[in-house]
Amino acid sequence: MMKRDAFLVVGIILLIWSLVDIVNTIVNKSWYQLAWFSNNIVLILSLAFIFRNKILMSAVAVSSLIVELPWFIDFFGRLLFNFVPFGGLSDYMFYEITVKNWLFYLELNHLVLIPLSMYGMYKLGVHKKAYLICWIFILYLNSLAYFLTPIELNINCVNRLCFLRENFIKVNSFSYYVLWMVSLAVVVYLLNKLIYYLSRKYLSKV
């Protein structure tokens, strides 16, 4: 019962955090900023905790390892060593909003996604078809970002790799977008299968 209550509490905290972030984005930014992965995934994670949903939890864990890990590494690289291995993905945290601004703490949701989703997946088990949820999420958010948002924002890296100033692959914009989508789909599928295999082998969690 205590474990179930703890999941519910974490889920409610994440839900409030997510809703505050969404409202702030709508009020103080532009609606298309809602297409960012991180502005949506915290909400999905909150629902996974509240309903103890195995496939949602696994989908968040798998997708966060791919999408949020570069931000995570970049943030701590800047914080601890003043080194940005991913081209300054988190630089806005240090040069635009800074620790004196409450938005700095709101943006720290990037740091909780991986550890919380991995913990939740460990407790609930790994869903072997979580990649299907990831694919739906990728298709929806990246299509929204590519077709409806300003190209200069490069939301979810749909126009070029986020840590590069220009594409190193010389293809047109739509070809890059298709290549990016296919690459994400393949990596998500393989990562899901790898985690599922490792969980069965070492944790006996399915």
Side-chain angles (χ1 to χ4, degrees):
M1 185 65 177
M2 289 183 64
K3 291 181 179 179
R4 184 172 296 274
D5 290 344
F7 262 59
L8 181 60
V9 170
V10 171
I12 291 174
I13 292 173
L14 288 172
L15 179 60
I16 295 172
W17 196 345
S18 173
L19 293 177
V20 171
D21 189 24
I22 290 172
V23 170
N24 174 68
T25 299
I26 294 173
V27 173
N28 297 316
K29 300 179 183 179
S30 300
W31 69 266
Y32 43 74
Q33 294 281 357
L34 292 174
W36 280 106
F37 174 85
S38 58
N39 284 343
N40 292 268
I41 202 64
V42 179
L43 177 60
I44 304 299
L45 182 59
S46 72
L47 298 178
F49 269 98
I50 290 172
F51 297 106
R52 296 178 61 88
N53 188 287
K54 182 176 176 179
I55 191 169
L56 284 183
M57 191 71 75
S58 296
V60 172
V62 170
S63 57
S64 294
L65 280 172
I66 297 169
V67 178
E68 293 296 333
L69 189 58
W71 194 98
F72 192 96
I73 295 172
D74 199 86
F75 178 85
F76 281 106
R78 172 69 74 187
L79 180 66
L80 300 177
F81 308 108
N82 197 32
F83 172 67
V84 285
F86 288 99
L89 291 176
S90 63
D91 274 359
Y92 68 95
M93 296 285 284
F94 300 92
Y95 300 114
E96 294 181 25
I97 55 180
T98 74
V99 294
K100 296 181 180 180
N101 192 322
W102 71 277
L103 294 176
F104 178 92
Y105 305 97
L106 186 64
E107 288 291 320
L108 290 179
N109 56 19
H110 289 276
L111 300 182
V112 305
L113 286 169
I114 294 176
L116 283 181
S117 61
M118 292 296 287
Y119 174 77
M121 185 171 63
Y122 168 74
K123 301 301 291 185
L124 296 179
V126 182
H127 199 291
K128 64 181 180 180
K129 293 187 177 181
Y131 65 88
L132 294 175
I133 301 298
C134 295
W135 284 354
I136 294 171
F137 201 54
I138 289 170
L139 180 62
Y140 166 70
L141 282 183
N142 285 354
S143 295
L144 180 66
Y146 182 80
F147 292 106
L148 298 179
T149 67
I151 189 172
E152 62 271 14
L153 292 180
N154 193 34
I155 291 177
N156 298 330
C157 311
V158 294
N159 300 110
R160 58 177 170 77
L161 292 177
C162 292
F163 48 90
L164 297 177
R165 293 188 179 277
E166 60 183 40
N167 290 330
F168 66 93
I169 302 176
K170 300 303 180 181
V171 295
N172 62 51
S173 176
F174 186 72
S175 296
Y176 166 82
Y177 166 72
V178 172
L179 181 62
W180 178 239
M181 294 283 281
V182 172
S183 299
L184 285 176
V186 172
V187 173
V188 160
Y189 176 81
L190 293 177
L191 183 58
N192 188 186
K193 292 301 181 182
L194 175 62
I195 295 174
Y196 180 71
Y197 167 78
L198 293 176
S199 70
R200 286 180 61 86
K201 184 174 183 178
Y202 297 108
L203 301 175
S204 297
K205 291 264 188 180
V206 299

